[in-house]
Amino acid sequence: MTAQIIDGKAFAATVREKVAGHVARLKEEHAITPGLAVVLVGEDPASQVYVRSKGKQTVEVGMNSYEHKLDANTSEKDLLALIDKLNTAPEVHGILVQLPLPGHLNEDLVISSIDPAKDVDGFHISNVGLLGTGQKSMVPCTPLGCLMMLRDYHGSLSGMDAVVIGRSNIVGKPMAQLLLGDSCTVTIAHSRTKDIQDVTRRADIVVAAVGRPEMVTGDWIKPGATVIDVGINRIDAPDKGEGQTRLVGDCHFDSCAEVAGAITPVPGGVGPMTIACLLANTVTACCRANGLSEPEGLTA
């Protein structure tokens, strides 16, 4: 069996098109332009690239982009003051503080200072609690993107057996909650799970988000299962030349693709969906703030 490739790059482009359509309607019918504020503290190269990409895509879909770049030695007091200002700014509907933060800043405190209604990352404890109890919340972008792709491929997920490998607050736990919300039977597997291969092998859906390069191999996968690989790991690639690297997921792609019915590649799978869902969350937050119907197909 050769698995169907779930093209995250193409799907993300479709999501951005939907976002752009909703933004255009908000402008035309309500004279409202959704706004996303991104706060970057320090000069981490990967974070800088990510923030530039977010800003570019925000503008491309017609939204307002507000970027705040602060020095690495910015005090916690000054950062919290900026967030407080953004919380009350009517033109800002979504706030994202780029992580990781410099070591002298308390990430939990910073995240908890964001207005939950503007927390488009979905990391605020209020949103975590709302998601966990099946209520309306802002949903973390990466799990939301995974759910969108699964719904698109399968239609209904009701009754399917799903295993999420990894229990992080950013992906694993919210992914499990979203799958439960779509009536899957969900198991969270992790480093202490006994016979993890057997646990995974029974699943109709496998979401790998453990952060270990190519840990999941084809013999872990039930024939015909859908594999969503969230991992992004850089490993040595001597075949490409001395000192060269390549990106791989948490799944060994070739062996899993021989067994699975469908699989996301790395790169080009889940990754592109994260920013697309950030834009979707910003539109959702804007609609909620203005008492308007939520954008169809862009929320959990």
Side-chain angles (χ1 to χ4, degrees):
M1 181 183 296
T2 302
Q4 177 178 329
I5 304 302
I6 299 176
D7 188 340
K9 187 175 181 180
F11 195 83
T14 300
V15 172
R16 290 195 300 272
E17 287 178 9
K18 290 181 181 179
V19 169
H22 285 294
V23 171
R25 283 189 289 275
L26 285 169
K27 289 180 177 180
E28 180 180 352
E29 298 174 9
H30 304 283
I32 299 169
T33 301
L36 173 63
V38 178
V39 179
L40 174 64
V41 185
E43 299 180 354
D44 178 75
S47 293
Q48 287 182 323
V49 170
Y50 200 39
V51 166
R52 279 198 299 271
S53 181
K54 288 173 180 174
K56 179 174 180 288
Q57 292 188 39
T58 300
V59 172
E60 285 176 348
V61 298
M63 297 196 295
N64 290 330
S65 175
Y66 307 101
E67 292 186 13
H68 298 267
K69 297 180 180 180
L70 308 179
D71 292 336
N73 59 359
T74 295
S75 70
E76 198 163 78
K77 178 181 177 182
D78 287 345
L79 176 56
L80 294 177
L82 171 59
I83 293 172
D84 187 56
K85 182 179 177 181
L86 296 174
N87 282 339
T88 57
E91 72 276 11
V92 173
H93 302 96
I95 302 170
L96 182 149
V97 177
Q98 183 65 42
L99 303 178
L101 291 172
H104 69 285
L105 299 173
N106 183 328
E107 289 189 357
D108 290 337
L109 176 63
V110 170
I111 291 170
S112 67
S113 72
I114 299 171
D115 180 349
K118 295 187 177 185
D119 168 39
V120 286
D121 253 343
F123 294 163
H124 192 287
I125 191 64
S126 294
N127 283 317
V128 173
L130 289 168
L131 178 61
T133 52
Q135 300 180 69
K136 184 185 296 184
S137 68
M138 297 306 302
V139 179
C141 302
T142 299
L144 178 58
C146 295
L147 182 70
M148 285 182 178
M149 289 191 290
L150 285 167
R151 285 174 171 173
D152 181 71
Y153 181 74
H154 285 286
S156 172
L157 305 182
S158 180
M160 299 185 76
D161 196 334
V163 169
V164 179
I165 308 175
R167 50 180 168 176
S168 73
N169 292 330
I170 294 174
V171 180
K173 291 175 183 175
M175 187 75 249
Q177 295 292 347
L178 289 172
L179 290 167
L180 280 171
D182 269 29
S183 298
C184 290
T185 299
V186 183
T187 300
I188 300 179
H190 47 79
S191 60
R192 301 296 178 89
T193 300
K194 295 181 179 180
D195 302 318
I196 189 170
Q197 296 94 329
D198 293 335
V199 171
T200 305
R201 200 177 293 118
R202 70 168 187 250
D204 304 306
I205 296 169
V206 176
V207 181
V210 71
R212 291 180 58 184
E214 300 181 325
M215 183 183 89
V216 179
T217 52
D219 58 344
W220 291 35
I221 303 301
K222 175 183 177 179
T226 302
V227 178
I228 305 293
D229 191 347
V230 181
I232 302 178
N233 310 285
R234 192 169 291 278
I235 64 172
D236 293 335
D239 56 308
K240 295 172 63 175
E242 186 176 351
Q244 296 300 304
T245 61
R246 62 188 175 94
L247 289 176
V248 299
D250 290 349
C251 300
H252 185 272
F253 182 83
D254 289 343
S255 63
C256 289
E258 284 296 316
V259 183
I263 189 170
T264 58
V266 177
V270 174
M273 288 295 295
T274 298
I275 296 181
C277 288
L278 172 67
L279 304 178
N281 276 351
T282 303
V283 174
T284 298
C286 177
C287 290
R288 290 176 181 174
N290 288 279
L292 302 173
S293 298
E294 295 184 10
E296 187 176 346
L298 296 181
T299 61

